[in-house]
Every structure is written in C-alpha cells, then in structure tokens.
Amino acid sequence: MKYDQIDRNLFIKNRKNFMERMVPGGLAVFNANDVFPIGADSTMPFQQNRDLFYLSGVDQEEAILVLFPEAPKPEHREILFLTETNPHIAVWEGEKLTKEKAFEVSGVKTVYWLQDFEKVFFEIMAQAETIYFNKNEHYRVQGSIQTETRDDRFIKWCKEKYPAHRVAKSNPILQRLRSVKDPIELDLMQKACDITEKAFRRALKFTKPGVWEYEIEAEYWHEMIRNRSKGFAYTPIIASGNNANVLHYTENNQQCKAGELILLDTGAEYANYSSDMTRSIPVSGKFTDRQKQIYNTVNKVKSESTKWLRPGTMWDEFHKEVGKLMTSELLDLGLLDKADVQNENPDWPAYKKYFMHGTAHNIGLDTHDYGILTEPMKANQVFTVEPGIYLPDEGFGIRLEDDVVIQENGEPFNLMRNIPIEADEVEDIMNS
C-alpha cells in the first residue's frame, strides 16, 4: 500500500465496539471484495471491502475475518483467514501478509491460512447460535448493484450448510459505528483533505483558456499519487461551461474556453478514506460580475448551512432549513418570484429548479459513507456541505463543497479550512 501503516489500535477498538453489540452466542463473518476481471488476464485495481478494512485494517484480497466473542477457545474469538504466501507469489505478485505481519497490521492474534477455513469454521459454528451476515444496505445502493459479491456467495453457502442457525445482520451495527469517527480516522481524513488541497492549488496554477478538462484531471492525478494517495476517491468531475449543469458529468473531454467557469468535484483518497471537495473557478482567472454574484451566494448558503450541523440535528430537517435559505437567496437574485414560491409543489419546492440535489451526506471510508439518516446527528460524524446554483440558460453552474466534523459544542470543524474558497483568493492564486 502507498499509505503509512495505520495504528492497529483503531481496528482493535472497532472490533471491540462491534462485538459488544452482538447477541449472546453470535458469530460474524466478513469477506474481502473480489478482484474483478476486465478481459484476458486483466483485472480492475483491488478495492477492499470497507467493513472488513474497518474491523481489521487488512487490505488484501481473499481475506476473511471471523468474530466470535463467546468462543470457548479464547484464540477463536477473533480469527483472520488469509491466502498462504510463498516465494512464487512473492516474485510474481509481491509479498502477501505473513501471520506475523497480519497481527502487526490488525492486532488479531489468531491467523489461519485460507485452506483451513472450512475445518475451523465447522468447529466454531457448532458452538455458535447466531450467524451475522454482512450485506451492503446503504440507502443509495438499492437497485444499483448487480454484481454478486463474495459475501453473497458466502451467505448462500452458509445457509445451505448450516440451516439451523439463527441469522442476524451486521449492517445496522456498522451503520452506527462507522458513522462516528475515531480520532485516528479523523487524522486519516485530514490527510486526504490535505492531499486534495495540494492538488487543487496545482490545478489553479495550471488552468487557463485552451486547456482541456482531462489535462486538469491529469494535474490532480499527478499531485495525488506523489502524496501517497491511490488517486481520486470517486470519479472526478471536471466540468467547464454548461457541463457543470450535468450533475454527474464525468466525460472530462472538452476544451476550457475564456470566460467560462469550471466546476471541479474532486477529492483524494488516503488509506481508503475519502475526501470530497467541489470548487468552481474561472478559466480566465477572473469571475465576471454575474458569476461572482452567484458564487458569493452559494458560498453564503454553504457557510450558513454548515453552522446547523450540530448534535441532535435531524438530516431531513437540516435539508428543509437549507431549502428555506436557498429560496430566500434565489428571491433576492430575482431567479424566483413570490408567485413561484406561493404556487410551489411541496414535494418539489421552487428552489429545486436551480438547486436540485441534497446539501450533505456522510463521508468516511466511502465517499457516501454509512450513517442512519433517521437518527439525530452525533459529534464526530463527518458530513459534506455542498449547495449549488445551476443556470444552464447562462452557461454555468456553481457548487461549493467542504467536509466538516460535527463537534460536541459549537460549529463544525472544517477539514478543508485551508483550501481556497473565497472568490478573491481564487482569483489571486490563479493570477499570481
């Protein structure tokens, strides 16, 4: 891995917190993600299952973690199963985790080779009453995933082989645990945001009329990789001109013209943790008066909205308040009139014509991270704040986004506090 080794106390603590929430006699299993084929002998770059990583720190394919807090044998209360490494694998693929290195990374003392899984699993399942299966139940995932995962295949196999066991879900536990960040996690997320800052500053200095969107993307890649990131935490959006009004524009293949704005929705990952930043910058290095008017309005909405992210706030109520604020600003801009608001559809308020997406989402190991949105916000949850105004008739759209940590008291702590956002500062850097 490119990143520095993470303090294993994070994973020791995460497993302890998870096991404390299991039912008596419960046993939980977490599988690594598959390595996905492309064609011939090519594969996609490996991305670890985030739940397995959260609980173990193991960033290797084919790993299995078993948690059985009431196992009669103490050595079976936490078990890692890994592919046995050998000199041939070391030559062709690079060294895999040894048992000693796996303990160093994860803090799990009992490590078996994968070939012993069924034998050991049979022994501990005879002692367990409930099996916790791991499924992705994120609110955004419904209907969008068509690939059968290693967890899916394991669940089928386990239900057939052990039909008498009760079944439970690990996901509700993980949704709550993963949404509240440990200080070690916040440090890793700060690192991801710091890398994003370096990449953005590089892009500011590079951008001028005539460059291509993909050239700006390449500048980001360069700075991210040289700072020990794997690259973007998600598919980047480099959207010049009217492309900014396509919310998930990812073609990044157009030339940037004088007078246009570029919307940059770009964030680095670090150690599998995400950052998520959006800025809108002028191709020519200077905003027009109209562009700056809209820009400053979006920045104002972002600043005011951020203050409302506090413990006890409900996610849906937060978005309603942001909607009211945006409505007021759009009235001041003359983009809406009172009749628009009076006659609006409550299910699609008038402001949605210009700001059609949500304002905040959890962020962490996933860019759209776990978090139960029907429960009050808690300290040390990390949210994005990302209002926007989109004006296709005027040829530009503006979105601004930072990642912030909810505090016990006071306003959130901005992990992107050092990334330029004020219009004048952006212009000064682009023209320096």
CSV table of all heavy atoms in Angstrom, one decimal, residues 91-112:
chain,number,residue,atom,x,y,z
A,91,VAL,N,7.4,-13.4,-6.0
A,91,VAL,CA,8.1,-13.0,-7.2
A,91,VAL,C,7.1,-12.4,-8.2
A,91,VAL,O,7.4,-11.4,-8.8
A,91,VAL,CB,8.8,-14.2,-7.8
A,91,VAL,CG1,9.3,-13.9,-9.2
A,91,VAL,CG2,10.0,-14.6,-7.0
A,92,TRP,N,5.9,-13.0,-8.4
A,92,TRP,CA,5.0,-12.6,-9.4
A,92,TRP,C,4.0,-11.5,-9.0
A,92,TRP,O,3.6,-10.7,-9.9
A,92,TRP,CB,4.2,-13.9,-9.9
A,92,TRP,CG,5.1,-14.7,-10.8
A,92,TRP,CD1,5.9,-15.8,-10.4
A,92,TRP,CD2,5.3,-14.6,-12.2
A,92,TRP,NE1,6.5,-16.4,-11.4
A,92,TRP,CE2,6.2,-15.7,-12.6
A,92,TRP,CE3,4.8,-13.8,-13.2
A,92,TRP,CZ2,6.6,-15.9,-13.9
A,92,TRP,CZ3,5.3,-14.0,-14.5
A,92,TRP,CH2,6.1,-15.0,-14.8
A,93,GLU,N,3.7,-11.5,-7.8
A,93,GLU,CA,2.6,-10.5,-7.4
A,93,GLU,C,3.1,-9.6,-6.3
A,93,GLU,O,2.4,-8.6,-6.0
A,93,GLU,CB,1.4,-11.3,-6.8
A,93,GLU,CG,0.7,-12.2,-7.9
A,93,GLU,CD,-0.5,-12.9,-7.3
A,93,GLU,OE1,-1.1,-12.4,-6.3
A,93,GLU,OE2,-0.8,-14.0,-7.8
A,94,GLY,N,4.2,-9.9,-5.6
A,94,GLY,CA,4.6,-9.2,-4.5
A,94,GLY,C,4.3,-9.9,-3.2
A,94,GLY,O,3.3,-10.8,-3.2
A,95,GLU,N,4.9,-9.6,-2.1
A,95,GLU,CA,4.7,-10.3,-0.9
A,95,GLU,C,3.3,-10.1,-0.3
A,95,GLU,O,2.8,-9.0,-0.4
A,95,GLU,CB,5.7,-9.9,0.2
A,95,GLU,CG,7.1,-10.4,-0.2
A,95,GLU,CD,8.1,-10.1,1.0
A,95,GLU,OE1,7.7,-9.6,2.0
A,95,GLU,OE2,9.3,-10.4,0.8
A,96,LYS,N,2.7,-11.1,0.2
A,96,LYS,CA,1.4,-11.0,0.9
A,96,LYS,C,1.6,-11.0,2.4
A,96,LYS,O,2.8,-11.2,2.8
A,96,LYS,CB,0.5,-12.2,0.5
A,96,LYS,CG,0.2,-12.4,-1.0
A,96,LYS,CD,-0.6,-11.2,-1.6
A,96,LYS,CE,-0.9,-11.4,-3.0
A,96,LYS,NZ,-1.6,-10.3,-3.6
A,97,LEU,N,0.6,-10.8,3.1
A,97,LEU,CA,0.7,-10.8,4.6
A,97,LEU,C,1.2,-12.1,5.1
A,97,LEU,O,0.6,-13.1,4.8
A,97,LEU,CB,-0.6,-10.4,5.2
A,97,LEU,CG,-1.0,-8.9,5.0
A,97,LEU,CD1,-2.4,-8.7,5.6
A,97,LEU,CD2,-0.1,-7.9,5.7
A,98,THR,N,2.2,-12.1,5.9
A,98,THR,CA,2.5,-13.3,6.8
A,98,THR,C,1.6,-13.2,8.0
A,98,THR,O,1.0,-12.2,8.3
A,98,THR,CB,4.0,-13.2,7.2
A,98,THR,OG1,4.2,-12.1,8.0
A,98,THR,CG2,4.9,-13.2,6.0
A,99,LYS,N,1.6,-14.3,8.8
A,99,LYS,CA,0.8,-14.3,10.0
A,99,LYS,C,1.3,-13.2,11.0
A,99,LYS,O,0.5,-12.5,11.6
A,99,LYS,CB,0.9,-15.6,10.7
A,99,LYS,CG,0.2,-16.7,9.9
A,99,LYS,CD,0.2,-18.1,10.6
A,99,LYS,CE,-0.5,-19.1,9.8
A,99,LYS,NZ,-0.6,-20.5,10.4
A,100,GLU,N,2.6,-13.0,11.0
A,100,GLU,CA,3.2,-12.0,11.9
A,100,GLU,C,2.9,-10.6,11.4
A,100,GLU,O,2.5,-9.7,12.3
A,100,GLU,CB,4.8,-12.2,11.9
A,100,GLU,CG,5.3,-13.4,12.6
A,100,GLU,CD,5.1,-14.7,11.6
A,100,GLU,OE1,4.9,-14.5,10.4
A,100,GLU,OE2,5.1,-15.8,12.2
A,101,LYS,N,2.9,-10.4,10.1
A,101,LYS,CA,2.6,-9.0,9.6
A,101,LYS,C,1.1,-8.8,9.8
A,101,LYS,O,0.7,-7.6,10.1
A,101,LYS,CB,3.0,-8.9,8.2
A,101,LYS,CG,2.8,-7.6,7.5
A,101,LYS,CD,3.6,-6.5,8.2
A,101,LYS,CE,3.5,-5.1,7.5
A,101,LYS,NZ,4.3,-4.1,8.2
A,102,ALA,N,0.3,-9.8,9.6
A,102,ALA,CA,-1.2,-9.6,9.8
A,102,ALA,C,-1.5,-9.2,11.2
A,102,ALA,O,-2.4,-8.3,11.4
A,102,ALA,CB,-1.9,-10.9,9.4
A,103,PHE,N,-0.8,-9.7,12.2
A,103,PHE,CA,-1.0,-9.3,13.6
A,103,PHE,C,-0.5,-7.9,13.8
A,103,PHE,O,-1.2,-7.1,14.4
A,103,PHE,CB,-0.2,-10.3,14.5
A,103,PHE,CG,-0.2,-9.8,15.9
A,103,PHE,CD1,-1.3,-9.7,16.7
A,103,PHE,CD2,1.0,-9.3,16.5
A,103,PHE,CE1,-1.3,-9.2,18.0
A,103,PHE,CE2,1.1,-8.8,17.8
A,103,PHE,CZ,0.0,-8.8,18.5
A,104,GLU,N,0.6,-7.6,13.2
A,104,GLU,CA,1.1,-6.2,13.3
A,104,GLU,C,0.1,-5.2,12.7
A,104,GLU,O,-0.1,-4.1,13.3
A,104,GLU,CB,2.4,-6.1,12.5
A,104,GLU,CG,3.2,-4.8,12.6
A,104,GLU,CD,4.4,-4.8,11.8
A,104,GLU,OE1,5.1,-5.8,11.8
A,104,GLU,OE2,4.7,-3.7,11.2
A,105,VAL,N,-0.5,-5.5,11.6
A,105,VAL,CA,-1.5,-4.6,11.0
A,105,VAL,C,-2.8,-4.5,11.7
A,105,VAL,O,-3.4,-3.4,11.9
A,105,VAL,CB,-1.7,-5.1,9.5
A,105,VAL,CG1,-2.9,-4.3,8.9
A,105,VAL,CG2,-0.5,-4.8,8.7
A,106,SER,N,-3.3,-5.7,12.2
A,106,SER,CA,-4.7,-5.8,12.6
A,106,SER,C,-4.8,-5.9,14.2
A,106,SER,O,-5.9,-5.6,14.7
A,106,SER,CB,-5.4,-7.0,12.0
A,106,SER,OG,-4.8,-8.2,12.5
A,107,GLY,N,-3.8,-6.5,14.8
A,107,GLY,CA,-4.0,-6.8,16.2
A,107,GLY,C,-4.7,-8.1,16.4
A,107,GLY,O,-4.9,-8.5,17.6
A,108,VAL,N,-5.1,-8.8,15.4
A,108,VAL,CA,-5.7,-10.2,15.5
A,108,VAL,C,-4.6,-11.2,15.7
A,108,VAL,O,-3.7,-11.3,14.9
A,108,VAL,CB,-6.5,-10.5,14.3
A,108,VAL,CG1,-7.0,-12.0,14.4
A,108,VAL,CG2,-7.7,-9.5,14.1
A,109,LYS,N,-4.6,-11.9,16.8
A,109,LYS,CA,-3.5,-12.9,17.2
A,109,LYS,C,-3.7,-14.2,16.4
A,109,LYS,O,-2.6,-14.8,16.1
A,109,LYS,CB,-3.5,-13.1,18.7
A,109,LYS,CG,-3.2,-11.8,19.5
A,109,LYS,CD,-3.3,-12.1,21.0
A,109,LYS,CE,-3.0,-10.9,21.8
A,109,LYS,NZ,-3.1,-11.1,23.2
A,110,THR,N,-4.9,-14.6,16.1
A,110,THR,CA,-5.1,-15.9,15.5
A,110,THR,C,-5.2,-15.8,14.0
A,110,THR,O,-6.2,-15.2,13.6
A,110,THR,CB,-6.3,-16.6,16.1
A,110,THR,OG1,-6.1,-16.8,17.5
A,110,THR,CG2,-6.5,-18.0,15.5
A,111,VAL,N,-4.3,-16.3,13.3
A,111,VAL,CA,-4.3,-16.2,11.8
A,111,VAL,C,-4.1,-17.6,11.2
A,111,VAL,O,-3.1,-18.2,11.5
A,111,VAL,CB,-3.2,-15.2,11.3
A,111,VAL,CG1,-3.3,-15.1,9.8
A,111,VAL,CG2,-3.3,-13.8,11.9
A,112,TYR,N,-5.1,-18.0,10.4
A,112,TYR,CA,-5.0,-19.3,9.7
A,112,TYR,C,-4.9,-19.0,8.2
A,112,TYR,O,-5.3,-18.0,7.8
A,112,TYR,CB,-6.3,-20.1,10.0
A,112,TYR,CG,-6.5,-20.6,11.4
A,112,TYR,CD1,-7.6,-20.2,12.2
A,112,TYR,CD2,-5.6,-21.6,11.9
A,112,TYR,CE1,-7.8,-20.7,13.4
A,112,TYR,CE2,-5.8,-22.1,13.2
A,112,TYR,CZ,-6.9,-21.6,14.0
A,112,TYR,OH,-7.1,-22.1,15.2
